[in-house]
Amino acid sequence: MGAALPAQLTAIEFAPQPGPQAALVGCPIEDVFFGGARGGGKTYGMLLDWLDHALTYGNFATGVFFRRVAKNLEEVIQEAHRIFPHFGGKWRKADMTYVFVSGPAKGARLKFRHLDSVEDANAYQGHAYTWICFEEMTQWGDPTPIDMLRATLRSAYGVPCVFRATGNPGGAGHNWIKARYISPAPRGFKIIVDADTGERRVFIPSKLDDNRKLMDADPRYEARLRGLGTPTLVRAWRHGDWDIVAGGFFDDLWSEEKHVLRPFELPKTWTFRRSFDWGFAKPSSLGMYAISDGNQPRIPGRQLPFFPRGSIIRIGELYTVQKEKTGIVKPNAGLRWSNERLGEEIAEISKGRYWSGCVADPSIFTEDGGPSIFSQIKGGARRKGHALKMSEADNTRVAGWSKCRTMMEAARDGDREVPGFWAFENCVEFIRTVPVLQMDKKKPDDIDTDAEDHAADEWRYLLMTEKQGAGVGRVAVKGH
């Protein structure tokens, strides 16, 4: 995979290194995610890939290199200054663009831009590019602005248009990037064909060991990576392990071995409640929970944790996330069900058990010139014979996350006094999304709201409206 290296690159010191960089430069696959560990030579590789594109297509090559924060472009541009002038590149600082004025790449243009949101992406309507790169793509918790820019990949001159991206494990976008590029082929170098669009994509893993120039020039860099602190960070940043999260809000507490349980029969004396977070373009999440009254389940042949009074187990869920034809999740993309359809589905999944109500985001009860979202959902449930009742949840964020952490910690440590939290293994969307959530960089006691946080939000609603340690009942909330 990867074209023969152009003579213009091999003739001087700016050739890609053997291995992943060489596989990247000139790779014919339309969509490439490159990286996976710190020190893997991602920026250098991407600049060489653009250069190969510019040398091949000259005046017909137009590119744009994105970072989420403008300041982070400084080092990228410095690296470009070392390379591009040797190939006829001239820097135009006023519009942050490299224009190639001589040689085989004459006429090619590469812009350096920052892009944060959907609003930023809207400004690119009508643009046309043949090469786009998003560096450190895991910094985007929502892929929407990135996918909007894909629509600008077009050429009236027959130039093959390509999308490039880099990133390490962790960050707000960890989950959707892992689902799109890593999970289908964890070892990389395997072409993945999108079942819906037919577009080809590939993950090219690049680690510190592949960057011999850095290893030789800075032999202490590896030791500094090992000294980052937690084993989790080391595995993520040194070894590119996508099965863990670096810097996650819960990564110091979450243990799949401790928190995830194989389903078992629950005591009939426990209370069963639901919690709901609404979405349309994004997923809706209905969590179904069992709350301990102190009676311990007894399952022959199984040793279960002790569940103090007030402990909570997530036993089921309805999560409206899109999937490809192959079954691969499209993270944070909702099914766009009507509210009536949503009510019908809630009614179906709720059959067979008595539920002590449901708490939900207060915003769904707002009547803005017409029936509220809740009224429409309730109507759908009624058609299925289910009298759905919901109460406005306490939507306090920081205190809510603190309670989530406290209960997660109690379960991890096997505390027999403090109520804990567990999830049945069938709650796959909770297990997929919650452990990888990142903290808000501007507000470390909160979660980054750009991430796929819908299951986490409704979990928080439930915990905030349950009396601490009561196991039954709830604080006074407005019912509907």
Side-chain angles (χ1 to χ4, degrees):
M1 189 176 62
L5 302 182
Q8 292 94 335
L9 289 181
T10 57
I12 59 173
E13 63 176 297
F14 300 113
Q17 298 183 73
Q21 273 189 2
L24 166 69
V25 175
C27 177
I29 306 303
E30 300 94 328
D31 184 347
V32 176
F33 181 72
F34 182 73
R38 290 201 168 188
K42 298 186 294 297
T43 300
Y44 189 76
M46 282 299 160
L47 293 176
L48 291 188
D49 185 68
W50 156 256
L51 186 58
D52 174 69
H53 184 80
L55 290 167
T56 303
Y57 300 105
N59 187 53
F60 303 119
T62 56
V64 56
F65 193 113
F66 287 109
R67 287 294 302 258
R68 186 168 185 182
V69 179
K71 184 178 180 180
N72 292 339
L73 284 167
E74 293 175 0
E75 291 189 9
V76 181
I77 293 169
Q78 282 296 112
E79 190 76 355
H81 289 341
R82 285 199 326 109
I83 304 171
F84 293 166
H86 293 276
F87 300 88
K90 183 177 181 180
W91 177 240
R92 297 198 317 209
K93 186 175 181 180
D95 57 0
M96 299 281 285
T97 301
Y98 251 106
V99 177
F100 289 76
V101 297
S102 62
K106 184 177 180 180
R109 300 167 304 284
L110 178 64
K111 300 176 181 178
F112 291 85
R113 299 290 187 268
H114 75 278
L115 182 136
D116 179 44
S117 63
V118 168
E119 289 73 21
D120 294 339
N122 283 330
Y124 287 84
Q125 290 186 24
H127 289 219
Y129 300 101
T130 60
W131 187 95
I132 290 176
C133 176
F134 279 84
E135 187 167 63
E136 300 298 346
M137 194 162 66
T138 46
Q139 293 181 359
W140 281 268
D142 181 356
T144 302
I146 293 170
D147 290 340
M148 289 173 66
L149 262 295
R150 290 176 185 271
T152 66
L153 282 169
R154 57 182 181 270
S155 171
Y157 306 99
V159 176
C161 299
V162 294
F163 178 91
R164 302 292 188 246
T166 74
N168 303 317
H174 175 103
N175 211 29
W176 71 263
I177 290 172
K178 180 182 177 184
R180 184 176 292 185
Y181 296 96
I182 315 302
S183 295
R187 295 187 178 182
F189 297 104
K190 178 181 178 181
I191 298 173
I192 306 157
V193 179
D194 190 291
D196 296 323
T197 66
E199 184 179 66
R200 300 175 301 168
R201 60 180 181 264
V202 69
F203 166 45
I204 300 180
S206 181
K207 301 178 182 179
L208 178 60
D209 306 277
D210 300 309
N211 191 355
R212 295 310 312 175
K213 289 183 179 179
L214 176 60
M215 294 281 281
D216 294 341
D218 188 358
R220 294 294 301 163
Y221 182 72
E222 181 181 15
R224 292 198 297 276
L225 280 181
R226 289 200 308 267
L228 286 172
T230 68
T232 299
L233 285 172
V234 173
R235 285 171 55 198
W237 289 348
R238 172 64 179 90
H239 302 292
D241 189 341
W242 287 85
D243 290 330
I244 50 83
V245 183
F249 193 83
F250 298 110
D251 68 355
D252 59 326
L253 299 175
W254 174 260
S255 165
E256 191 157 328
E257 180 182 358
K258 297 288 184 66
H259 291 107
V260 179
L261 306 174
R262 184 160 48 94
F264 54 86
E265 186 174 351
L266 296 156
K268 292 181 173 58
T269 57
W270 285 23
T271 299
F272 298 91
R273 284 177 58 69
R274 296 164 298 179
S275 189
F276 179 68
D277 187 63
W278 179 83
F280 177 69
K282 302 291 177 68
S284 290
S285 181
L286 177 81
M288 311 168 80
Y289 298 90
I291 306 166
S292 170
D293 63 355
N295 288 320
Q296 300 301 307
R298 309 294 180 189
I299 309 298
R302 286 188 64 181
Q303 185 175 355
L304 298 172
F306 182 82
F307 303 107
R309 181 178 174 85
S311 292
I312 294 176
I313 304 176
R314 185 182 178 96
I315 60 174
E317 62 187 12
L318 172 66
Y319 195 82
T320 63
V321 68
Q322 290 186 34
K323 294 182 180 180
E324 295 180 4
K325 294 176 183 178
T326 57
I328 296 174
V329 167
K330 294 183 176 181
N332 220 12
L335 289 172
R336 296 176 177 264
W337 283 351
S338 69
N339 292 323
E340 291 77 8
R341 166 76 183 281
L342 194 52
E344 292 174 356
E345 297 292 339
I346 291 174
E348 287 292 329
I349 200 172
S350 298
K351 287 180 177 178
R353 193 182 294 279
Y354 173 76
W355 299 97
S356 177
C358 180
V359 292
D361 185 342
S363 67
I364 72 167
F365 302 103
T366 302
E367 296 181 0
D368 187 11
S372 67
I373 291 171
F374 168 68
S375 295
Q376 297 171 53
I377 294 172
K378 185 176 182 179
R382 188 183 298 115
R383 285 202 291 269
K384 291 290 185 177
H386 183 66
L388 180 63
K389 294 183 178 180
M390 288 186 174
S391 302
E392 295 183 21
D394 181 342
N395 196 17
T396 307
R397 294 184 63 84
V398 173
W401 297 132
S402 178
K403 189 168 183 180
C404 291
R405 287 181 55 84
T406 296
M407 295 188 74
M408 189 179 280
E409 182 177 22
R412 182 200 64 182
D413 296 344
D415 197 314
R416 297 175 69 89
E417 301 294 332
V418 178
F421 171 80
W422 295 262
F424 277 177
E425 63 186 8
N426 56 288
C427 297
V428 295
E429 301 302 339
F430 181 95
I431 296 168
R432 176 179 68 85
T433 60
V434 173
V436 299
L437 290 171
Q438 299 286 299
M439 65 182 65
D440 188 321
K441 292 182 178 179
K442 296 180 180 178
K443 194 176 182 181
D445 292 331
D446 201 354
I447 281 175
D448 188 333
T449 56
D450 286 338
E452 192 174 356
D453 58 358
H454 318 294
D457 278 342
E458 46 92 344
W459 170 44
R460 172 172 54 83
Y461 300 157
L462 182 86
L463 267 57
M464 283 300 288
T465 49
E466 285 296 320
K467 292 179 180 177
Q468 180 65 42
V472 293
R474 58 189 185 277
V475 298
V477 291
K478 184 178 179 181
H480 296 261

